[in-house]
């Protein structure tokens, strides 16, 4: 199949979270299965250094204006990459915000991106499917529905839309409709809703989250639209790209290790303790690598740590960046518990690997989690995930004391429930035989992309037949 991904992040090029990993993981797997995969994304300022081999001019009609841009092409690990270059819209180093606030012109920037992607695709040999990811690409579903009548290369092309996170929707006031060539209803425009209405098929990144989206409050106001498309709406669990995330081959970590020889894992833990001036102790190391947002459970986690760190013989290392409100509290926690707690603020992919390898437990007390990739990485790294049982976390981690347990789980989104889970983790760690068993089982879990990729191919076929 000839497949075009329209997306705003791609691992190795631009990443703010799991969207990048998921787009690359799926694209790589589809390529390896013999399909022709192209990806189109904005050329952010951080990509200006990237060498491109080919460039085409593309003209976009938007809100009564004609806007030009270049689409520059290159390739990454066999996948063809096309970058939409427009300095005013994308010549910024951060894709969506200035660090605190979303850019005010995001509706215009991403409507333009969608139109540019479609205008470019119109002049290529026809793609069998277009696959959009998250709100940044949602208007393409609507634009394509109007273009099919006039553009032969797009006439029979379905649009598959994947919701990686239903909480980010991009709403804007009705007056934008004219500038963005979007339908007017008198109500706020909601990008995500447009895709729910106009995409040929929609899916999200786990079965659990798919079911949650059918009702409020998980649907964030869009339950009606998810229900309306219920028969076209599926849940396909993301995979883990073990070529990138495997402690046996990971070049970023202090020493490799695998199921049958965990000596390297002890080195990785020591190295992190040394790097961040923590005592080289046998106490369990709890870690997190996370966007610092409400979604990730910081309202439960910070008070839990404030209480727990007073007593518990543990070390905690958190790597993350995001909302100032939480970051300040995390820095404060580091001052209060200098022997036990570190907060490393920033986005550091190498460190993310090192922390995965060093940890005994990985903290993921999310309020909601469409899929979650960090718990999948943690399983493989023998870093037992402590998860709230929601969305994709519930679908991938079996909580102790189940006989088949691979981690620790809790259900209620409250600080006491999380504290109980932390205490459980400590008890498990103290019973080393039991801990080792759970760790072995965790490391044996396999969530590769093969299965997800097969489901996507079936979905593409269904979408082609549905048109
Ligand atoms: P989400 O997409 O909601 O952020 P996921 O678990 O699906 O959550 O994916 C998060 C991805 O982003 C992982 O690859 C994780 O390692 C990475 N990540 C998150 N925060 C950071 C950070 N501060 N530094 C490096 N990588 C990070
Ligand atoms: C989103 C979700 C996360 C998911 C990722 C990739 O960022 O928050 O749960 O794993 O997308 O699909």
């Amino acid at each position: 199949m000839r497949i075009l991904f329209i997306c705003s992040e791609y691992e190795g090029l631009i990443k703010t979270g799991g969207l990048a990993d998921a787009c690359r993981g799926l694209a790589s797997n589809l390529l390896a299965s013999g399909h022709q995969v192209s990806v189109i994304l904005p050329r952010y300022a951080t990509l200006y250094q990237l060498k491109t081999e080919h460039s085409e001019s593309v003209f976009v009609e938007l809100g009564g204006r004609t806007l030009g841009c270049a689409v520059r092409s290159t390739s990454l690990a066999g996948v063809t990459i096309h970058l939409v270059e427009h300095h005013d819209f994308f010549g910024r180093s951060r894709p969506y915000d200035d660090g605190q606030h979303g850019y005010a012109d995001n509706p215009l920037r991403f409507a333009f991106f969608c139109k540019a992607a479609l205008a470019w695709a119109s002049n290529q040999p026809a793609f069998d499917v277009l696959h959009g990811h998250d709100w940044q690409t949602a208007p393409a579903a609507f634009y394509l529905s109007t273009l099919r009548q006039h553009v032969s290369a797009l006439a029979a092309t379905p649009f598959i839309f994947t919701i990686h996170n239903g909480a980010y929707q991009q709403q804007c006031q009705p007056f934008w409709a004219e500038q963005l060539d979007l339908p007017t209803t008198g109500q706020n425009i909601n990008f995500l809703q447009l895709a729910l209405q106009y995409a040929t098929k929609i899916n999200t990144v786990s079965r659990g989250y798919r079911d949650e989206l059918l009702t409020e409050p998980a649907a964030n106001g869009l339950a009606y639209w998810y229900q309306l498309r219920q028969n076209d709406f599926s849940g396909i669990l993301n995979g883990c790209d073990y070529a990138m995330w495997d402690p046996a081959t990971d070049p970023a970590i202090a020493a490799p290790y695998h199921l049958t020889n965990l000596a390297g894992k002890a080195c990785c833990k020591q190295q992190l303790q040394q790097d961040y001036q923590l005592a080289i102790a046998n106490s369990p190391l709890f870690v997190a690598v996370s966007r610092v947002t409400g979604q990730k459970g910081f309202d439960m986690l910070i008070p839990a740590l404030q209480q727990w760190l007073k007593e518990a013989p543990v070390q905690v290392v958190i790597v993350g960046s995001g909302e100032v409100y939480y970051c300040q509290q995390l820095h404060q926690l580091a001052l209060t518990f200098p022997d036990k707690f570190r907060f490393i603020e920033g986005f550091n992919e190498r460190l993310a690997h090192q922390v995965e390898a060093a940890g005994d437990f990985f903290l993921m007390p999310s309020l909601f989690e469409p899929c979650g990739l960090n718990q999948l990485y943690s399983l493989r790294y023998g870093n037992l995930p402590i998860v709230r049982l929601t969305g994709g976390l519930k679908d991938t981690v079996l909580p102790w004391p189940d006989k088949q347990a691979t981690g620790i789980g809790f259900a209620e989104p409250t600080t006491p429930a999380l504290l109980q889970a932390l205490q459980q983790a400590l008890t498990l760690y103290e019973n080393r035989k039991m801990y080792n068993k759970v760790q072995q089982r965790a490391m044996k879990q396999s969530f590769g992309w093969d299965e997800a990729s097969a489901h996507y191919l079936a979905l593409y076929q269904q979408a082609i037949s549905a048109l």
Side-chain angles (χ1 to χ4, degrees), residues 43-122:
R43 189 169 194 231
Y44 306 108
T46 47
L47 298 177
Y48 283 179
Q49 303 299 326
L50 191 75
K51 276 226 169 78
T52 53
E53 290 104 46
H54 177 76
S55 174
E56 279 174 55
S57 297
V58 169
F59 293 94
V60 173
E61 304 291 334
L62 183 63
R65 293 190 291 165
T66 303
L67 301 169
C69 63
V71 175
R72 292 175 178 268
S73 306
T74 181
S75 72
L76 184 65
V79 172
T80 319
I81 307 286
H82 307 281
L83 302 165
V84 176
E85 178 177 278
H86 187 291
H87 299 293
D88 286 352
F89 289 150
F90 305 123
R92 313 174 192 185
S93 53
R94 296 177 61 92
Y96 318 127
D97 57 49
D98 62 12
Q100 281 315 310
H101 303 289
Y103 299 126
D105 59 352
N106 273 345
L108 191 59
R109 297 170 74 227
F110 286 98
F112 172 81
F113 169 58
C114 291
K115 283 222 170 183
L118 294 174
W120 173 82
S122 305

Side-chain angles (χ1 to χ4, degrees), residues 17-19 22 134 164-165 205 238 291 295-296 369-373:
L19 173 64
D134 272 354
H164 293 265
N165 194 328
V205 288
N238 283 331
R291 290 184 294 114
Q295 175 191 345
K296 301 297 178 178
E369 198 60 76
C371 175
L373 292 169

Side-chain angles (χ1 to χ4, degrees), residues 28 60 66 105 107 129 139 147 203 216 241 258 281 353 368 373 411 426:
S28 307
V60 173
T66 303
D105 59 352
V129 290
L147 282 174
N203 83 296
E216 302 299 348
D241 188 343
H258 50 87
H353 286 252
F368 68 95
L373 292 169
L426 205 53

Side-chain angles (χ1 to χ4, degrees), residues 1 7 77 80 121 140 165 167 172 234 275 314 319 329 341 347 401 449:
M1 278 200 201
C7 56
T80 319
N165 194 328
C172 53
S234 54
D275 289 349
V314 300
V319 178
Q329 294 180 65
F341 183 81
F347 196 92
W449 273 102

